[in-house]
Amino acid sequence: MENAQESLRQVFQQEFTRMVAVISRRFGLQHIELAEDIVGETFLLAAETWGVRGLPANPTAWLYTVAKQKAIYQFRRRKLLDDKVIPGLMAQHTQDDEWDTLSFSAHSIRDSQLQMLFAICNPLIADEAQIGLALRILCGFGIYEIAEAFLTNKETINKRLFRAKEKLRAAGVTMDLPADSELVRRLDTVLRVIYLLFNEGYYSSTQNQSLQKDVCLEAMRLGVMLTDYEQINSPKTNALLALMCFHASRFEARHGGAKSLPLLYEQQNDTLWDTALIRQGFAYLDRAMQGNDLSTYHLEARIASWHCIRDDTPEKWTAILSLYNQLVLLNKSPSAALNQVYALYKVAGQAAALAAAKQLRLDNSHLYFTLLGELYRETDPAQATASFQRAYSLAKTQTDRQTIQQKLDGMA
Amino acid sequence: MSEFMLLFRQPSFDTGQMSPAEFAAIASRWQAWVGGIEAGGNLVSRGTRLATEGKVVRADGLITDGPFVEVKERLGSFVLVRADSLDEATALAHGCPAISAGGSVEVRPLLV
């Protein structure tokens, strides 16, 4: 019974996104909401029919047949209305065989989903809205689950998605792939959204661990989708995939604790690390290293690859420090700077790291004061405690506060 | 014992919002409902599915496509049950997921 529920859930998640992408591509992205309704109705009918009569021999084929009938019916009807309302404008009558070009072949599904990915990862709409749309339209999550991942309510998510679709419509965004000349630039946005999506899952404040994992896996699936196409199967794409594989390999170990708090790296049981994913990560990293491209994903992937080796060797931390030094040059984000200081601590010791940390002025960051606390821990317990307390007062989530409280408890 | 047809109608609602978990839950409610009727020995047939498309013929000779669009409630499928009385057949309709979704079940005796 549990299994049956789970497989129905998976059928929905996978086929919802496929059918919405195919129908939207055939009839235009401006009709995406109608496409969602058609697919939703198809599933409502599936729930009733499968519930009463049992699962058909081929559920996917059943869904495609019904969705196609419904889509053709809806759009033909809509066209009839348009013809009546705006006579002449669409005088030419649509032949039945023209509707038949709506196809749910594997090829059509693949192309439609890729085009949908590029349409949604669009700088026209805000990051949060891109991630929200990606979660719904590309990954098939329910509005409630998306709200849970963002720690907000359904209404907020619905409004956000509605406005995002309006923007896409108003800007006349279509589902055609960008021209070759633009493809590389647009790919950057797509990769960024996939990485944000992955982080949304990995660092999400929700306590729902299966949801977190699902979001991460979906982000990885979208990344793998890109590798099917020669032009966008670039070193950067592979670097991002490597990075996600390395992080995801620690998923089980990270949540191995009895408490809801994710386990920190040092606390993890490394026998729970997923070695298959680590190997996969190295395979992607190999492909990423072909060519001269050096992106932040390359550097972060190589840092993450070192973290797949548990032992603290001088070689490991020297390599990590050098990678952070390069990363900071490419993108001086607060987290890169803080990690650079930590690597320096591992390589050159407490005094050098403390001097570097004092150069950073991240007075609003709980991570900064957590790091200061760590650096003071051995030499100045009073300063360490004060730093952890400052970090506690700056922390924004319950999870962060709990983690810092553990450190404070350790000082007592 | 007589036979009765239970016809269910579902209201049109915002299906574009459906989530994976809701889909699985609705399917299992239908399964549980029909399963309950079957377990009680009252099930005659699991009916058959109606196609989306169809024609409506009216008194003035007007023939239109698909009758269901303008109707608030969409006619779903049906099951055939056996029961001693209309009341007993009606009791079987309780728990039908169409009802909890805001729709209805029509119970009609079959005459031989």
Side-chain angles (χ1 to χ4, degrees):
Chain A
M1 189 68 200
E2 273 296 297
N3 282 342
Q5 286 270 303
E6 180 54 27
S7 63
L8 284 177
R9 227 181 49 77
Q10 281 171 5
V11 167
F12 182 98
Q13 199 161 357
Q14 176 173 306
E15 301 305 337
F16 178 88
T17 65
R18 290 179 170 179
M19 292 191 283
V20 169
V22 168
I23 295 172
S24 301
R25 182 169 76 141
R26 174 62 186 79
F27 296 103
L29 189 63
Q30 71 271 26
H31 296 304
I32 186 169
E33 270 150 347
L34 186 54
E36 286 178 83
D37 283 343
I38 289 167
V39 174
E41 267 182 43
T42 302
F43 275 107
L44 188 65
L45 189 59
E48 176 186 311
T49 312
W50 300 1
V52 172
R53 302 177 57 79
L55 212 59
N58 186 342
T60 303
W62 190 100
L63 289 170
Y64 294 166
T65 306
V66 172
K68 184 171 173 174
Q69 285 167 356
K70 284 186 182 291
I72 291 173
Y73 176 73
Q74 281 293 335
F75 283 100
R76 184 184 287 149
R77 180 171 157 266
R78 186 163 276 232
K79 179 155 166 41
L80 284 175
L81 286 177
D82 284 350
D83 284 351
K84 276 180 201 152
V85 179
I86 325 166
L89 198 68
M90 304 176 86
Q92 179 190 346
H93 269 280
T94 309
Q95 298 300 312
D96 273 9
D97 53 358
E98 194 184 312
W99 298 108
D100 279 341
T101 58
L102 176 67
S103 155
F104 290 99
S105 68
H107 190 265
S108 167
I109 287 171
R110 204 182 69 150
D111 286 357
S112 302
Q113 285 200 300
L114 184 78
Q115 290 175 18
M116 186 61 99
L117 178 61
F118 273 85
I120 285 177
C121 299
N122 197 311
L124 279 174
I125 48 181
D127 276 355
E128 279 182 331
Q130 291 184 45
I131 300 172
L133 271 185
L135 284 169
R136 178 62 180 162
I137 304 294
L138 293 166
C139 309
F141 288 104
I143 304 297
Y144 178 77
E145 291 167 305
I146 301 173
E148 197 183 348
F150 280 112
L151 277 192
T152 177
N153 55 38
K154 278 175 86 165
E155 288 69 33
T156 307
I157 296 296
N158 269 328
K159 271 190 214 141
R160 196 179 286 170
L161 298 190
F162 179 77
R163 277 197 297 261
K165 286 180 219 164
E166 283 289 292
K167 270 220 172 110
L168 291 176
R169 225 186 325 263
V173 172
T174 63
M175 280 183 66
D176 305 309
L177 272 190
D180 285 0
S181 55
E182 234 205 310
L183 199 60
V184 174
R185 193 176 57 80
R186 289 291 306 280
L187 177 62
D188 278 351
T189 310
V190 171
L191 293 178
R192 204 175 59 89
V193 172
I194 292 177
Y195 193 28
L196 287 174
L197 201 59
F198 184 85
N199 285 335
E200 191 62 45
Y202 204 74
Y203 299 109
S204 170
S205 317
T206 172
Q207 305 285 351
N208 183 339
Q209 286 170 15
S210 71
L211 175 60
Q212 294 181 324
K213 194 175 176 182
D214 282 353
V215 172
C216 288
L217 290 178
E218 280 294 319
M220 292 169 77
R221 185 182 64 81
L222 295 177
V224 171
M225 210 163 87
L226 295 174
T227 63
D228 275 350
Y229 293 80
E230 204 185 324
Q231 287 156 296
I232 46 184
N233 184 15
S234 65
K236 221 187 239 185
T237 303
N238 282 277
L240 175 60
L241 275 165
L243 173 58
M244 293 193 290
C245 284
F246 291 137
H247 279 310
S249 73
R250 291 195 285 276
F251 216 99
E252 296 301 328
R254 206 162 164 261
H255 294 289
K259 280 182 277 181
S260 52
L261 209 56
L263 292 175
L264 301 177
Y265 183 78
E266 310 85 64
Q267 303 165 330
Q268 291 169 13
N269 172 2
D270 55 19
T271 61
L272 290 176
W273 291 355
D274 187 331
T275 50
L277 267 177
I278 294 176
R279 273 199 304 277
Q280 187 64 50
F282 276 107
Y284 283 124
L285 193 56
D286 271 350
R287 266 169 254 159
M289 299 316 248
Q290 288 160 15
N292 299 318
D293 213 356
L294 183 74
S295 64
T296 55
Y297 303 127
H298 282 84
L299 295 168
E300 288 184 55
R302 285 171 62 192
I303 292 166
S305 77
W306 277 104
H307 285 304
C308 296
I309 303 165
R310 187 50 171 275
D311 295 334
D312 262 1
T313 59
E315 187 203 3
K316 169 178 168 178
W317 284 103
T318 309
I320 291 177
L321 177 59
S322 143
L323 290 164
Y324 272 119
N325 290 343
Q326 297 175 63
L327 186 60
V328 166
L329 288 179
L330 276 185
N331 173 24
K332 195 167 173 69
S333 71
S335 90
L338 289 170
N339 281 306
Q340 185 189 25
V341 170
Y342 186 73
L344 185 64
Y345 162 68
K346 288 290 204 177
V347 172
Q350 183 260 355
L354 194 57
K358 283 178 176 167
Q359 300 281 313
L360 301 173
R361 296 234 160 269
L362 297 168
D363 288 345
N364 291 316
S365 161
H366 68 278
L367 294 170
Y368 177 57
F369 287 99
T370 308
L371 177 66
L372 278 181
E374 292 292 346
L375 293 177
Y376 279 123
R377 189 195 282 274
E378 300 301 326
T379 55
D380 191 342
Q383 270 292 354
T385 304
S387 299
F388 285 136
Q389 279 165 347
R390 183 88 185 266
Y392 188 91
S393 68
L394 288 168
K396 290 189 178 63
T397 69
Q398 190 57 28
T399 315
D400 289 339
R401 276 192 287 272
Q402 280 172 279
T403 308
I404 299 165
Q405 188 60 49
Q406 280 186 350
K407 292 184 186 293
L408 272 169
D409 294 344
M411 295 304 299
Chain B
M1 279 285 198
S2 314
E3 292 189 356
F4 298 83
M5 182 183 271
L6 307 188
L7 286 141
F8 12 98
R9 290 186 167 82
Q10 301 230 43
S12 51
F13 77 106
D14 203 352
T15 48
Q17 297 261 326
M18 200 191 287
S19 75
E22 270 164 354
F23 166 63
I26 297 172
S28 88
R29 281 203 289 274
W30 279 101
Q31 199 184 3
W33 178 64
V34 175
I37 295 176
E38 187 174 37
N42 298 95
L43 190 67
V44 176
S45 159
R46 291 168 189 271
T48 184
R49 185 169 67 86
L50 298 175
T52 307
E53 286 191 75
K55 299 273 185 190
V56 180
V57 185
R58 295 183 204 284
D60 56 6
L62 191 68
I63 301 175
T64 52
D65 275 338
F68 335 114
V69 223
E70 319 304 341
V71 185
K72 279 256 167 54
E73 290 185 334
R74 178 182 64 75
L75 181 63
S77 43
F78 61 89
V79 295
L80 295 182
V81 300
R82 83 171 60 77
D84 284 328
S85 65
L86 182 59
D87 283 347
E88 198 198 321
T90 306
L92 294 174
H94 290 302
C96 174
I99 300 172
S100 47
S104 62
V105 180
E106 190 173 324
V107 184
R108 302 288 291 271
L110 297 185
L111 302 178
V112 200

